[in-house]
């Protein structure tokens, strides 16, 4: 089984998130499992025990396509893996994920022909704002022989797992769907996510993975702080990756919520207060 992350740019927080995610998977990897990171900065992964695939800004531009849609890159990365590693199951992951359930269960589902995404978010016709606008633009349209209808729910693409027998079909159909929606000038909000949802629904027995993989998009500050502390602790102790993996307590991590509702009113009040009472009197060290 191949596990895939894509991380571009030098913003360290995404690489730190990926490191934590990689460690949780390494606790359960077998000899025939491999982790790949498609990145512009492979040097960040020299000590992670993963396989890196270096891409340039020119490659990213090409993967964005004629419509310059950044998230089309996710589908192109999956297509790349389908072309180069067609004989292995593939699971793409956003960096802000962890494995907290059984990897063997994930593999069993893939062996049974199930595709997986993180969770079912419902049908876009029942959603609000931009997602609903996207749906109104493409409702009933046909792309790659698939007519979009009420059977096509939107799944969260923080996890995209594809059985090896369907890798080529799913990646090809998802790309066709994505490009078709872009050509029809659909709202550029979750086009790649919906394209992958439809492709997996049509080509596999689509299941959710939320019972096995955590996705902490709704509480990133706390999880990122834990990831930074883990890396610092590992570095200060001079641990190897294997030693860090062994010491990682996933059950302890799971005591931190993956989602917290923040009151819009409270956030607006904080913004008002911060504008009224701005920080001042900055003092710096004087060199020389």
């Amino acid at each position: 089984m191949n596990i895939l992350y894509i991380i571009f740019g030098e913003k360290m927080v995404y690489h730190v998130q990926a490191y934590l995610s990689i460690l949780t998977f390494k606790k359960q990897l077998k000899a025939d499992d491999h982790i790949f990171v498609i990145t512009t900065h492979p040097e960040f992964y020299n000590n992670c025990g993963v396989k890196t695939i270096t891409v340039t800004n020119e490659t990213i531009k090409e993967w964005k396509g004629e419509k310059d849609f950044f998230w089309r890159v996710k589908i192109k990365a999956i297509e790349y893996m389908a072309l180069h590693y067609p004989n292995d199951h593939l699971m793409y992951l956003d960096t802000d994920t962890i494995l907290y359930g059984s990897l063997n269960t994930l593999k069993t589902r893939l062996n049974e022909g199930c595709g997986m995404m993180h969770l079912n978010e419902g049908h876009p016709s029942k959603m609000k704002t931009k997602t609903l606008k996207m749906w109104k633009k493409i409702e009933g349209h046909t792309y790659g022989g698939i007519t979009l209808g009420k059977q096509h729910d939107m799944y969260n693409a923080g996890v995209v797992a594809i059985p090896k027998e369907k890798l080529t079909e799913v990646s090809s159909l998802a790309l066709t769907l994505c490009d078709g929606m872009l050509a029809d000038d659909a709202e550029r909000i979750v086009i790649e996510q919906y394209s992958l949802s439809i492709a997996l629904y049509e080509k596999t027995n689509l299941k959710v993975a939320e019972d096995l993989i955590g996705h902490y998009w709704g509480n990133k500050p706390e999880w990122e702080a834990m990831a930074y502390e883990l890396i610092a602790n590992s570095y200060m102790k001079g641990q190897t990756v294997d030693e860090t993996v062994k010491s990682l307590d996933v059950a302890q991590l799971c005591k931190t919520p993956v989602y917290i509702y923040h009151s819009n009113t409270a956030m607006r009040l904080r913004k008002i207060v911060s504008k009224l009472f701005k920080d001042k009197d900055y003092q710096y060290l004087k060199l020389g």
Side-chain angles (χ1 to χ4, degrees), residues 215-232:
H215 191 192
Y216 56 84
W217 62 271
N219 186 25
K220 287 189 179 184
E222 281 193 81
W223 282 86
E224 288 163 2
M226 289 193 299
Y228 276 112
E229 183 173 352
L230 175 70
I231 292 171

Side-chain angles (χ1 to χ4, degrees), residues 40-236:
T40 49
H41 289 278
E43 67 274 13
F44 293 155
Y45 301 89
N46 287 340
N47 299 318
C48 286
V50 303
K51 298 183 178 183
T52 56
I53 299 169
T54 305
V55 291
T56 63
N57 290 329
E58 288 71 25
T59 300
I60 296 170
K61 182 178 180 180
E62 177 189 337
W63 285 5
K64 288 181 182 179
E66 293 181 2
K67 297 293 184 178
D68 193 34
F69 180 54
F70 178 78
W71 290 111
R72 185 179 184 270
V73 169
K74 182 184 291 190
I75 302 175
K76 289 295 292 183
I78 292 171
E79 180 190 54
Y80 176 95
M81 295 297 291
L83 290 171
H84 290 83
Y85 303 94
N87 299 318
D88 298 295
H89 299 318
L90 175 67
M91 181 163 60
Y92 161 85
L93 295 160
D94 280 356
T95 57
D96 55 348
T97 56
I98 67 159
L99 176 66
Y100 74 95
S102 167
L103 186 59
N104 284 334
T105 300
L106 280 166
K107 292 178 182 178
T108 297
R109 292 177 188 175
L110 288 165
N111 288 335
E112 293 172 349
C114 296
M116 284 172 281
M117 296 182 71
H118 186 245
L119 56 83
N120 187 342
E121 297 181 345
H123 197 272
S125 64
K126 299 178 181 179
M127 297 180 185
K128 298 178 181 179
T129 60
K130 291 183 178 181
T131 305
L132 178 59
K133 286 178 67 178
M134 179 195 73
W135 171 250
K136 288 180 177 179
K137 191 76 174 183
I138 60 177
E139 180 181 5
H141 289 204
T142 300
Y143 310 106
I146 305 300
T147 301
L148 307 193
K150 293 299 176 66
Q151 72 275 28
H152 295 125
D153 282 352
M154 173 86 73
Y155 287 73
N156 184 283
V159 179
V160 181
I162 310 170
K164 58 187 177 183
E165 297 83 3
K166 296 294 183 179
L167 254 180
T168 301
E169 290 182 70
V170 168
S171 58
S172 177
L173 178 56
L175 195 61
T176 298
L177 287 158
C178 180
D179 288 345
M181 294 182 204
L182 288 169
D184 285 342
D185 199 28
E187 188 72 29
R188 295 160 69 98
I189 177 69
V190 284
I191 290 175
E192 91 295 339
Q193 181 167 301
Y194 199 37
S195 299
L196 287 162
S197 301
I198 296 167
L200 280 163
Y201 172 84
E202 292 289 338
K203 298 297 181 180
T204 74
N205 180 16
L206 181 54
K207 304 287 187 181
V208 298
E210 61 179 320
D211 58 328
L212 303 170
I213 298 177
H215 191 192
Y216 56 84
W217 62 271
N219 186 25
K220 287 189 179 184
E222 281 193 81
W223 282 86
E224 288 163 2
M226 289 193 299
Y228 276 112
E229 183 173 352
L230 175 70
I231 292 171
N233 185 65
S234 174
Y235 175 79
M236 296 295 287

